[in-house]
Each structure stands twice: as structure tokens, then as C-alpha cells.
Amino acid sequence: MVDISIVIVNYKSWNDLKECLQSIVSINSHQFTVETIVVDNQSNDGRIEEFKHLFPSISFVENSGNNGFANGCNVGAAAAKGNYLFFLNPDTILSEEAIYELWKTASTTPDLGIVCCTQINESGKYYNEIRFFPSLRTLFGPFRALFKVINKQLINENYNPEKQIVFPEWATGAVIFMSKTWFEKVNGWTEKYWLYFEDVDLCKKVSNQGGRVGLIRNTSILHKHGGASRINIKTKALTKTEVLISQHVYFNEHTKGLHHFLIQLILVSSTLVEKILLAIIGLVFFFIPKLKVNLLILKHLILYYFNCIIQSTWTSPRAMNYLKK
């Protein structure tokens, strides 16, 4: 049994993954034992063999398809031998200090179902720490702004810069550290998502079980945000569409009754109105490549909503358990 199993889900992010794995294999700690598992979501470009040769100490698992982030994480966790699971994006750079501080915090504070840490980008800019679970009060930009104004004092107290640990409601899936006990307690990652919101869902399940999410500030991880997903116009349209789809999946999982009906209705209506307007702008200014994204998003969304009606499910059609209602 090892102390920590690092699980990385990869899909054609080889350049970023190479830097990430180099940072991991350079660590030779006497404080903890670690294994690294890379789950490749069927990149189908032949590079996995190259990486197996470059990093013989890393375990590579070839998934059955591009089955999404949640499924990849669960596949990696199933192969893990560690007492703790460290889910990590391929576009990150790791240090021994970061691993140790996450491990020490998780092992000494059992009510923390998930531990994460400060993330910075290449420019040294810190990522947002203040995160609330999605709800009607935080669903749209103006609502979120009003919510923050109303709760300004509470937010300032909870996220006081002098605190070494703060407690956001959820943590980004780029850096998720948790015990295998907690992972099994919440039944792992929910595979109704293909991409996005699966991290929010995981944190919500931890919260429902009486656990907390802790963000430590005494260490940080470099995260080159966006390097693992948004590659070109088609990919950008696909990933942006999945953000919208995953919102529906999340509310289907965590709301009931009238609240569920109202929030889904509001989300469908507002999303369609916004995307139709943006698609019209894209048609008018067709010579601007970036605006073509909105046309593709609208197309994907209409197909999704049509499938929701036909199949009676909000699950992403790309998810592993689509149609498993």
C-alpha cells in the first residue's frame, strides 16, 4: 500500500502532461510514498507508447474511449493502491511541498472530505478561491453580484487573507486531494457528466455527507488553465456546450420538486435566448472566426434538448452512463 495515488486524466494534452510528469518524477520524498496513474481517454494518436518509454515508473491506463473526466478519474481510482487519492490536471506543475501539505492536512483533519490548495497561472496570478454551489441565487452574473454584495461581510470573514485555510463550498477538479475512505463514502465521481461540474458535484456529495472542502494557502500549484481542453473552434464550442449541459445535469442531481422544475425551465429559456442572439450575430459577422463558435454551440444545444425530451434524461449524451436512468 502506498500513501498517495496521483490520478491524471489525459486527452491529447501530451505537451502539458510531459511537464507535469517531469515535475512528479523529480520528487524523491522520504516523507511519503507515491504512485502516479495516467488514464488516457483514447487519444488515438500513438503517443502513449512514447510516454510509456519516457516515464517507465508511471502507470498508464488506456481507457475504452473518450469517456469524460469523471469516468477517467474513477478508472484511475480503481487502479490506485494509495490510502489517499490526488486527482490532478495534466496542465499542472507539482512540487514535493504541495503534495506533503495536502497529505498532512487531509490526514490530520478527517472532516475535510476534500483538500485543495492555492493555484496560480504562468503570470503568477492567483485563481479565485470564493466558490458557492450553483443555485438560483448564483445562477446568473447579476444574481451572483447581488449575492456577494448581500453576503460581503460573511465572505470577507471566511476568506480573510490572514487565514491559512479557508472553506469554499467546492474546489476545482484540477487539484482534488481526498482519502480513499471519503472517495468510497460518496461513491466516487458521478459519471452522468462528460466534462465540467463533476468537481462541483463531488464536493456537493461530500457536503451532503457532513464533510467540508478545505483550501490551504501555505502551498501552491501552477495551473495553466485551459491547456487541456480548448484547442480550436470546434473543441471550444464542444467544451462550452458541455458547461451548459453539465449545469442541467447538476441541478437534476441536486434539486427536487418545484425548485427543480423552475430552475431547469429558467436555465433552458435563458440559455436558448442568449445563444440564439449570439448565433444571429455570428451569422451577420460570419467573417470573424471566433463568432462561429456560437453557431456551433446553438446547434449542439438544440440537439441536446431534443434528446432530453426523447430520452427523458438530462445526462450528457457523451457521458458513460447515458441512457442508464
Side-chain angles (χ1 to χ4, degrees):
M1 184 72 73
V2 297
D3 294 317
I4 303 159
S5 295
I6 301 174
V7 176
I8 302 172
V9 179
N10 174 66
Y11 180 72
K12 297 185 178 181
S13 298
W14 300 109
N15 292 335
D16 288 323
L17 178 63
K18 185 175 182 179
E19 291 186 40
C20 179
L21 295 182
Q22 285 173 337
S23 71
I24 293 173
V25 298
S26 66
I27 296 170
N28 184 22
S29 177
H30 298 293
Q31 301 179 94
F32 52 80
T33 55
V34 64
E35 66 170 356
T36 303
I37 300 165
V38 174
V39 179
D40 184 60
N41 271 353
Q42 208 174 77
S43 294
N44 273 341
D45 52 13
R47 296 202 64 185
I48 192 169
E49 295 303 323
E50 170 194 342
F51 271 66
K52 287 179 180 179
H53 177 74
L54 283 173
F55 300 100
S57 62
I58 305 294
S59 297
F60 288 87
V61 178
E62 298 181 56
N63 210 347
S64 59
N66 189 8
N67 302 330
F69 181 74
N71 172 259
C73 286
N74 283 339
V75 169
K81 301 175 183 176
N83 290 316
Y84 290 85
L85 302 171
F86 188 5
F87 299 100
L88 190 69
N89 262 25
D91 54 354
T92 56
I93 302 296
L94 203 54
S95 67
E96 178 179 348
E97 177 198 37
I99 299 178
Y100 177 72
E101 293 298 335
L102 288 163
W103 178 55
K104 182 176 71 173
T105 303
S107 59
T108 57
T109 321
D111 72 312
L112 291 181
I114 289 174
V115 182
C116 59
C117 68
T118 300
Q119 297 178 46
I120 57 174
N121 64 16
E122 301 95 319
S123 302
K125 183 179 178 181
Y126 288 84
Y127 285 85
N128 179 38
E129 295 179 344
I130 304 172
R131 299 179 186 274
F132 298 100
F133 288 130
S135 66
L136 277 174
R137 63 184 182 177
T138 61
L139 191 57
F140 304 106
F143 291 7
R144 286 194 295 273
L146 180 61
F147 175 79
K148 288 180 180 180
V149 169
I150 294 174
N151 294 277
K152 184 177 180 180
Q153 182 176 351
L154 180 62
I155 291 172
N156 289 340
E157 290 175 0
N158 289 342
Y159 293 91
N160 187 314
E162 296 182 1
K163 289 187 176 181
Q164 289 301 303
I165 182 169
V166 294
F167 303 97
E169 290 189 344
W170 63 275
T172 171
V175 179
I176 294 280
F177 196 100
M178 63 192 309
S179 69
K180 185 167 282 187
T181 300
W182 264 108
F183 183 79
E184 293 172 349
K185 189 174 183 178
V186 299
N187 296 316
W189 298 79
T190 302
E191 296 188 16
K192 293 182 180 181
Y193 306 86
W194 183 68
L195 192 63
Y196 300 113
F197 274 77
E198 59 279 277
D199 45 9
V200 190
D201 178 274
L202 184 70
C203 295
K204 182 65 172 176
K205 292 195 296 183
V206 165
S207 176
N208 291 343
Q209 292 286 343
R212 294 188 297 169
V213 175
L215 186 151
I216 57 175
R217 289 168 162 169
N218 59 346
T219 191
S220 63
I221 286 176
L222 175 65
H223 177 204
K224 297 176 284 184
H225 187 63
S229 60
R230 297 180 183 178
I231 302 167
N232 53 43
I233 288 178
K234 287 186 177 180
T235 302
K236 189 173 184 179
L238 177 62
T239 56
K240 282 182 172 291
T241 303
E242 284 298 323
V243 172
L244 301 170
I245 290 174
S246 292
Q247 281 185 315
H248 288 295
V249 178
Y250 177 84
F251 287 123
N252 187 60
E253 290 293 295
H254 298 289
T255 59
K256 296 179 180 179
L258 182 60
H259 182 210
H260 172 265
F261 174 78
L262 286 175
I263 203 164
Q264 295 287 25
L265 179 62
I266 292 170
L267 192 56
V268 170
S269 303
S270 60
T271 299
L272 281 178
V273 169
E274 177 189 352
K275 297 309 172 186
I276 287 172
L277 291 174
L278 290 174
I280 291 172
I281 295 172
L283 283 172
V284 174
F285 298 98
F286 63 90
F287 49 87
I288 302 177
K290 286 186 178 180
L291 294 181
K292 293 180 181 178
V293 171
N294 296 312
L295 291 169
L296 292 174
I297 292 174
L298 180 60
K299 175 186 173 182
H300 294 326
L301 272 178
I302 290 173
L303 288 173
Y304 169 68
Y305 289 140
F306 179 76
N307 281 329
C308 287
I309 296 170
I310 299 300
Q311 304 294 345
S312 300
T313 179
W314 292 101
T315 301
S316 172
R318 293 179 173 271
M320 268 298 286
N321 58 1
Y322 180 61
L323 299 183
K324 292 182 180 177
K325 305 171 191 174

